[in-house]
Amino acid sequence: MIYITRRERFNAAHRLFREDFTDAKNLEVFGKCSNPNWHGHNYELYITVKGIINKQTGFLVNLKRLSKMIRMHVIDKLDHKNINLEVEFMQGKLASTENLAVGIWHELEPFIHELDTELHCVKVVESENNHVEFYGN
Ligand code: NI
């Protein structure tokens, strides 16, 4: 089994908050990410797929096709968007990096088999200090 990772980038706005909390309570629980006037992050997305090397090409996957697939099913839905308001697959969820990683997995996973490979990991980097990895369960 071999693994390969493609990085893509997007920027998006969000706010971490609960309607049933006061602004003070939201600040206490969610910190700066609870700012009522939104804020943005320059996210990095690392998509890792796994499989066996194609003997004809020496590749696991065509990275150009993988990149196109990630952009079509994930990046185009998130880039320059407000995650809370505009991203369909995040509606009704807290706009946390954790929920984003799970959401991205579900957007992408049904299509990955078209590349004769399997999704292994969705890694979302929110800042240089914080990132989340999701392995599908
Ligand atoms: Ni934030």
Side-chain angles (χ1 to χ4, degrees), residues 14 33 39 41 126:
H14 80 155
C33 278
H39 64 279
H41 294 279
E126 190 194 63

